[in-house]
Amino acid sequence: MHHGGGGGGAIRVLNVAEKPSVAKSVAEILSRPSGGMRSREGRSRYNRVFEFDYSIGGRACHMLVTSVTGHLMELEFDDRFRRWHSCDPADLFHAPVRKSVPQDKQDIKRTLEEEARKCQWLLLWLDCDREGENIAYEVIDICAGANSRLNIWRARFSALIDREIHEAVQHLDRPNKLFADAVDARQEIDLRIGASFTRFQTMLLKDAFVLDDTGDDRNIILSYGPCQFPTLGFIVERFWEIQAHEPEEFWTINCSHTSDEGTASFGWIRGHLFDYSSAVVIYEMCVEEPMATVQNVRNQEKLKYPPYPLSTIELQKRASRYFRMSSEHTMKVAEELYQAGFISYPRTETDNFSPNTDLHSIVHEQVAHPNWGTYAQRLLDPEARLWRNPSNGGHDDKAHPPIHPTKFSAGETNWTDNHKKLYELVVRHFLACCSQPAVGAETTVEIDIAGEQFNASGRVVLAKNYLDVYRFDSWGGTLLPTYIIGQQFVPTTLTLDSGMTRPPPLLAEADLLGCMDKAGIGTDATMHDHIKKLLDRCYATKDANTRFSPTNLGEALVMGYDEMGYELWKPYLRSMMEADMKSVSIGTKSKSEVLENCLQQMKACFLDARANKVKLFDAMGTFFARSSRPVNETQNSIETVRPCAACNESEMFLKQRPTGEFMVGCRGFPQCRNVVWLPRSLSGAAVTDQVCPTCAPGPVYKIQFKFRRRDIPPNFDVDHLGCIGGCDDILKELMELSRFGSHSQTATPARNQSQTASGVRQGSSRQDLHTSFHPAVQFTNGQTPVVNPQGFRSTHTQSSGNASGQVQCTSCREPCVLRTANTEANRGRKFYKCQNLACGFFAWEDDVENSAPRGRGGRGRRGRSSSRQSSESASAGRRGGTQGRGRRGRGRNADGMMFVAATGEPVYGSCFICGDPTHFANVCPNLGR
């Protein structure tokens, strides 16, 4: 290998490790031959810089060793998409993302930049797996940005011991960009899928239900992860299997025979029968002819093989099974043992040793141990014939060897019991896999009673071999009496026994890890994180025997997706993603190709899931009570729009009421009653990070509006980024053309009411903030819209009839046509409508028939003098008085005149042009003056 650069003097080499402890270990090992290591602080007090001289390939080098703390960069959406309500969650599948150094790691970045400017080489000591390679390229990005002339090298090692570290630095390699790309693809896929589904689930369900499983359900995040949910799926599926199990009674025949040599228990070769009558008939045959005849006796040697070399998944499974240690804690302890140099790198898929590994020297280091040292000595003794080269488990990640001990210890003073247990497991496992299998003699005896076959087995262990050191395995057996073919005897006991079928047990952690491994969910280094996430999110619980049960919340979410017919909780989608990551890492697929295909598929799943969200609601309703809490009232859902121009003390924030309506109100309510009611035609609204450059007082944040297509003309887009400050002409038109009610206006204007700079009326009553009418669900009236000063559109007219029963339009004075409503609330109900399409007159047939004749004009006798009474009537209706708020309710003014929406809902208010409560602006005689 040729190492270039540096000129004639010593090459300055910047060495970067993944953690401060690893940097210190590498520096101590490399500086030991020459001595003279110096240490100084970097910009980050936790990431020191170690300096010493060293020789690489015969070249004099001045080594500077420092570290990062795991990933140096984070992948995030652009700022305008990071706030939860800033966009439609579906947009996150293609929203711009960027990788940058977060604020808490800026000091580490500055250290790298400053040191890189003074060096010729960059030598990377990151963990030798995909994740480590990705971190390596983050470091390269920072250092090469400060010094583009750096010669970049990669050290590959698996243990923090002298031999490995010196070997790695003398055989340098180049970084693997394909490994880094695979992690980039996985990070982006997980970010987009996780963020979109998490926002969707949380905003849809959190405020709609009382989520008592979680304690403080107001701050809960209902997260979704493409690995997390399939892991939950395994738990729920086993739970459902247990619930669906119906115990069934069965019958079996058992017999035993006692002789001078002991007792043999014979089992029925049929196992058991579920039909009682059949079992009784066979049993009676055996009782009538009980003589047993020995038909066969088999004696054979059996071997119990030692385990394969230890991989990460096996370490987690065995620590869970033997010590009841969680997978997360197992990895934490293993990482600490690795960083202290006692075991090899604990994240590996490899379960076979390279032929070049000096296994004997590893065993030799353990000879002095008080517990297993004697066994290690026997293992090395050729005359004992105990040695056997480890079996090949068939997996090799090409990065690290199996987990094995790298340094002798009889137990360090700072070790916990779990450190001791895990170190013991690693050592005993290694010694076992280098040992001969246990040898046993197994005897099987088959007998016949009245034509029915029975058998019994016994085993004697002849040589324990690896079982002597691997105390976690057992291989017992019973010794059978001696039998010969043709021998006859009468059984000592012959019984017909009953039993019940049992459901499978809940999944234990070792079994769950096995399911994940088999399905390709996560990597060996991340599986424990997915399991911990389920517990942290209260989707599952774990008992003292490490067995998992889903919580109501976890089961409801899986049930909802299952009812939709999607397999978002199944492992297939994720296992395909993991296979794609593997393809990227070996170069058979490109990162962009994998990203495009995967995100396209998952966005389609997301859109389908959202379209069928009622299934998720139904599933949640099976387990949880509906909440009376207003939707989007939680702390996380409040989105500030602008400072309040009325009180100059609080902020205006976007809020969605349980009825689905949107408003922008002052946080200072009820002291400040400033409010802007947004159109009822909105299906969604979210505050963005974009600030309006013109409106004041600011900042005024723009809102991403989404209108229902059916409620706006076709020449307008349903998506509009608008400003409520008064500068947005498009929004004004959309508000003018949308169907919604004037929440802030009262029949008689309150004293001292005034308009704010943005045209919003103040002084509304408390009821104004929480009461609204329901406008027409379709654009049916067809009249030219008229807009009040707040931009609110009125589409409602009074009904009219004459003495002859002919209903005439109050505006056009023409006979009306009778039509039938097809809205959900009034399907089949008949109403009168003006023949002039430009007119908005409307009246229900049954209202006209039940009302007293009022003559041609239909205005009522009191005219405008009824304002005060009408206002009182409207107020009573808003307070839930005798007017009623039923789906078919009507509102009347003091004169008995009726104002209804197309849905039959009551309407309260007055004409904004002249103030008369007996009509609205579209039929005002002062219109156009």
Side-chain angles (χ1 to χ4, degrees):
M1 177 181 65
H2 173 70
H3 302 291
I11 302 170
R12 290 180 65 87
V13 182
L14 175 59
N15 298 259
V16 182
E18 192 160 321
K19 297 178 180 67
S21 60
V22 176
K24 184 179 180 184
S25 296
V26 169
E28 287 175 345
I29 291 170
L30 294 181
S31 65
R32 202 169 289 142
S34 60
M37 183 178 79
R38 300 175 301 284
S39 171
R40 58 182 168 85
E41 281 194 355
R43 291 284 185 174
S44 168
R45 53 186 286 196
Y46 303 107
N47 303 81
R48 298 185 68 82
V49 181
F50 304 94
E51 292 190 52
F52 55 92
D53 293 325
Y54 190 74
S55 175
I56 301 178
R59 291 292 302 272
C61 297
H62 183 68
M63 308 284 274
L64 296 91
V65 184
T66 187
S67 61
V68 291
T69 51
H71 276 282
L72 184 60
M73 298 182 175
E74 291 179 355
L75 186 70
E76 279 290 355
F77 293 106
D78 280 359
D79 288 344
R80 63 194 181 98
F81 293 97
R82 292 178 69 172
R83 295 170 66 175
W84 271 49
H85 296 264
S86 61
C87 66
D88 183 335
D91 294 343
L92 298 179
F93 282 95
H94 51 76
V97 293
R98 56 186 170 84
K99 212 173 184 183
S100 59
V101 180
Q103 194 60 42
D104 63 338
K105 296 191 176 180
Q106 287 292 330
D107 286 343
I108 299 175
K109 176 187 175 185
R110 282 193 284 271
T111 298
L112 294 178
E113 289 173 334
E114 290 172 2
E115 301 299 336
R117 291 190 187 102
K118 300 178 286 186
C119 293
Q120 290 87 46
W121 283 13
L122 173 63
L123 180 46
L124 301 159
W125 292 86
L126 289 311
D127 291 347
C128 299
D129 55 10
R130 285 190 213 165
E131 213 71 34
E133 216 68 19
N134 190 263
I135 300 172
Y137 273 88
E138 294 173 357
V139 173
I140 291 171
D141 189 56
I142 299 300
C143 294
N147 180 359
S148 60
R149 298 181 301 278
L150 282 172
N151 196 350
I152 301 169
W153 297 98
R154 185 73 160 93
R156 304 204 180 275
F157 61 102
S158 294
L160 291 169
I161 56 177
D162 292 36
R163 182 182 69 251
E164 286 257 1
I165 298 303
H166 285 293
E167 180 83 8
V169 80
Q170 298 299 334
H171 297 84
L172 297 177
D173 197 358
R174 297 294 187 183
N176 187 331
K177 186 66 165 65
L178 295 177
F179 274 26
D181 283 348
V183 174
D184 280 340
R186 194 259 307 154
Q187 285 180 342
E188 185 170 338
I189 287 169
D190 287 355
L191 174 66
R192 293 186 184 280
I193 295 174
S196 56
F197 275 94
T198 296
R199 292 187 191 182
F200 161 64
Q201 288 181 173
T202 305
M203 293 191 290
L204 176 69
L205 303 173
K206 181 177 68 172
D207 289 324
F209 297 92
V210 180
L211 305 178
D212 51 7
D213 274 11
T214 62
D216 184 8
D217 63 352
R218 292 180 68 85
N219 295 316
I220 187 176
I221 293 177
L222 302 181
S223 68
Y224 177 97
C227 284
Q228 174 190 340
F229 250 62
T231 305
L232 175 61
F234 289 126
I235 297 171
V236 173
E237 197 165 29
R238 174 60 63 87
F239 184 72
W240 285 347
E241 193 178 341
I242 294 169
Q243 286 187 316
H245 176 77
E246 295 184 7
E248 192 173 357
E249 192 171 13
F250 61 81
W251 288 266
T252 186
I253 301 172
N254 294 308
C255 73
S256 68
H257 176 234
T258 302
S259 67
D260 294 340
E261 298 181 62
T263 300
S265 296
F266 292 86
W268 194 15
I269 204 163
R270 292 181 188 266
H272 53 252
L273 293 179
F274 290 101
D275 185 82
Y276 175 70
S277 300
S278 300
V280 168
V281 168
I282 297 172
Y283 175 66
E284 289 177 346
M285 288 168 51
C286 293
V287 170
E288 289 173 4
E289 300 179 26
M291 184 62 71
T293 302
V294 178
Q295 291 189 319
N296 195 11
V297 178
R298 289 197 309 272
N299 293 295
Q300 56 185 349
E301 184 180 84
K302 284 284 186 178
L303 300 178
K304 183 173 177 65
Y305 286 92
Y308 291 124
L310 194 58
S311 64
T312 301
I313 186 68
E314 278 302 315
L315 176 69
Q316 294 173 336
K317 287 162 68 174
R318 290 172 187 261
S320 173
R321 193 177 296 128
Y322 304 152
F323 312 133
R324 297 287 189 261
M325 284 175 64
S326 71
S327 53
E328 180 217 3
H329 189 61
T330 296
M331 293 309 296
K332 178 178 181 294
V333 173
E335 181 72 24
E336 290 168 357
L337 290 174
Y338 159 70
Q339 290 182 26
F342 291 102
I343 67 171
S344 62
Y345 189 61
R347 293 182 175 88
T348 177
E349 297 174 13
T350 305
D351 54 11
N352 66 88
F353 283 103
S354 163
N356 300 324
T357 307
D358 188 353
L359 302 174
H360 287 81
S361 65
I362 300 174
V363 173
H364 190 268
E365 288 181 344
Q366 300 296 327
V367 167
H369 198 279
N371 294 337
W372 53 78
T374 304
Y375 184 88
Q377 186 66 61
R378 281 178 54 210
L379 196 56
L380 294 172
D381 183 1
E383 294 184 3
R385 297 188 177 182
L386 186 56
W387 182 274
R388 173 178 172 272
N389 286 330
S391 300
N392 187 334
H395 302 91
D396 189 351
D397 61 14
K398 307 297 183 185
H400 295 285
I403 304 167
H404 61 274
T406 54
K407 186 162 62 176
F408 171 82
S409 176
E412 305 299 304
T413 54
N414 62 336
W415 280 7
T416 65
D417 282 346
N418 286 333
H419 286 82
K420 295 173 185 175
K421 289 176 181 177
L422 211 61
Y423 180 74
E424 179 182 359
L425 173 59
V426 171
V427 176
R428 288 187 183 272
H429 194 102
F430 173 74
L431 295 175
C433 71
C434 295
S435 303
Q436 291 288 346
V439 182
E442 194 166 275
T443 301
T444 303
V445 178
E446 298 174 0
I447 64 172
D448 178 281
I449 303 175
E452 288 300 305
Q453 310 298 311
F454 299 83
N455 60 23
S457 293
R459 182 189 305 117
V460 177
V461 178
L462 303 177
K464 294 186 71 175
N465 294 337
Y466 91 91
L467 291 175
D468 280 330
V469 72
Y470 206 62
R471 64 180 183 84
F472 314 109
D473 269 2
S474 60
W475 196 40
T478 57
L479 184 63
L480 286 180
T482 302
Y483 292 96
I484 58 174
I485 297 175
Q487 177 183 347
Q488 291 189 320
F489 59 88
V490 176
T492 308
T493 63
L494 188 62
T495 58
L496 178 64
D497 300 319
S498 66
M500 302 292 288
T501 57
R502 295 181 180 181
L506 291 167
L507 276 181
E509 185 153 9
D511 301 321
L512 180 58
L513 287 163
C515 291
M516 297 170 70
D517 184 41
K518 185 176 180 181
I521 300 301
T523 64
D524 53 5
T526 61
M527 289 180 188
H528 64 281
D529 289 328
H530 305 314
I531 293 174
K532 181 176 184 296
K533 186 77 74 176
L534 294 182
L535 300 174
D536 291 345
R537 296 298 189 202
C538 299
Y539 289 172
T541 59
K542 184 171 69 169
D543 64 20
N545 293 317
T546 77
R547 296 193 180 278
F548 290 90
S549 298
T551 61
N552 287 343
L553 180 57
E555 186 177 357
L557 291 172
V558 170
M559 181 186 292
Y561 287 116
D562 187 57
E563 290 291 330
M564 292 178 192
Y566 307 129
E567 295 186 330
L568 294 169
W569 60 280
K570 291 280 193 178
Y572 316 124
L573 284 173
R574 185 60 189 193
S575 60
M576 286 192 291
M577 291 181 203
E578 295 288 357
D580 281 344
M581 303 307 129
K582 184 81 171 176
S583 298
V584 173
S585 69
I586 61 177
T588 56
K589 286 187 179 180
S590 68
K591 181 176 81 171
S592 59
E593 176 188 358
V594 166
L595 282 172
E596 183 180 355
N597 293 340
C598 178
L599 294 176
Q600 185 178 15
Q601 180 186 29
M602 288 306 298
K603 184 175 183 180
C605 287
F606 175 84
L607 295 175
D608 283 346
R610 188 167 64 179
N612 288 275
K613 62 186 178 185
V614 66
K615 300 287 181 64
L616 208 49
F617 252 96
D618 291 345
M620 290 289 288
T622 304
F623 296 91
F624 300 100
R626 290 299 297 265
S627 171
S628 59
R629 185 166 63 244
V631 177
N632 283 354
E633 182 112 335
T634 62
Q635 178 179 353
N636 292 332
S637 300
I638 293 177
E639 297 288 324
T640 300
V641 178
R642 64 174 302 172
C644 180
C647 66
N648 295 318
E649 293 180 358
S650 297
E651 296 174 316
M652 304 280 284
F653 69 96
L654 178 68
K655 174 181 173 182
Q656 185 178 16
R657 296 179 55 224
T659 56
E661 299 161 290
F662 290 90
M663 58 171 279
V664 178
C666 181
R667 293 185 199 272
F669 181 87
Q671 287 74 26
C672 178
R673 300 175 182 270
N674 192 7
V675 63
V676 177
W677 289 97
L678 298 175
R680 281 293 304 273
S681 56
L682 282 174
S683 64
V687 182
T688 70
D689 288 329
Q690 296 189 38
V691 177
C692 177
T694 58
C695 291
V700 180
Y701 291 99
K702 293 186 177 183
I703 299 176
Q704 184 68 53
F705 295 103
K706 194 172 190 69
F707 291 84
R708 285 185 290 273
R709 167 52 65 198
R710 66 189 181 192
D711 288 343
I712 61 173
N715 58 316
F716 285 92
D717 194 342
V718 293
D719 295 303
H720 176 67
L721 181 65
C723 173
I724 66 160
C727 67
D728 191 338
D729 292 335
I730 294 178
L731 179 59
K732 288 179 183 176
E733 287 190 70
L734 286 169
M735 296 177 83
E736 177 180 323
L737 294 170
S738 298
R739 296 184 175 278
F740 62 98
S742 177
H743 301 272
S744 62
Q745 81 183 46
T746 56
T748 303
R751 188 175 299 173
N752 297 329
Q753 280 186 335
S754 63
Q755 301 289 338
T756 68
S758 60
V760 181
R761 181 167 299 208
Q762 303 167 39
S764 304
S765 68
R766 172 77 179 182
Q767 287 76 21
D768 290 333
L769 292 175
H770 297 283
T771 309
S772 71
F773 67 84
H774 297 279
V777 295
Q778 299 184 53
F779 230 53
T780 55
N781 290 352
Q783 78 273 20
T784 304
V786 182
V787 182
N788 68 16
Q790 285 77 33
F792 300 131
R793 176 169 180 256
S794 175
T795 63
H796 313 286
T797 66
Q798 62 198 49
S799 61
S800 174
N802 60 16
S804 64
Q806 174 66 55
V807 177
Q808 292 182 335
C809 174
T810 57
S811 299
C812 306
R813 308 293 190 242
E814 295 294 332
C816 292
V817 294
L818 185 64
R819 294 185 176 175
T820 303
N822 64 353
T823 60
E824 182 179 353
N826 296 284
R827 197 175 308 281
R829 194 177 177 199
K830 297 187 181 299
F831 63 91
Y832 291 101
K833 189 178 185 304
C834 183
Q835 298 182 62
N836 181 3
L837 296 179
C839 178
F841 176 79
F842 171 94
W844 293 113
E845 180 188 37
D846 50 2
D847 292 338
V848 174
E849 291 172 354
N850 296 331
S851 62
R854 274 183 281 280
R856 186 176 180 86
R859 287 281 179 98
R861 294 184 300 276
R862 298 187 185 180
R864 298 183 188 179
S865 66
S866 63
S867 285
R868 184 180 60 81
Q869 291 167 301
S870 178
S871 174
E872 291 171 357
S873 174
S875 298
R878 283 194 291 272
R879 296 186 185 99
T882 57
Q883 305 289 353
R885 294 276 303 159
R887 290 184 67 87
R888 297 174 67 89
R890 260 84 58 196
R892 296 178 183 272
N893 64 10
D895 196 37
M897 297 183 63
M898 207 175 316
F899 299 88
V900 295
T903 57
E905 300 286 350
V907 178
Y908 309 106
S910 60
C911 174
F912 80 84
I913 295 176
C914 65
D916 191 337
T918 63
H919 65 259
F920 283 96
N922 62 321
V923 292
C924 180
N926 298 317
L927 180 63
R929 291 183 183 178

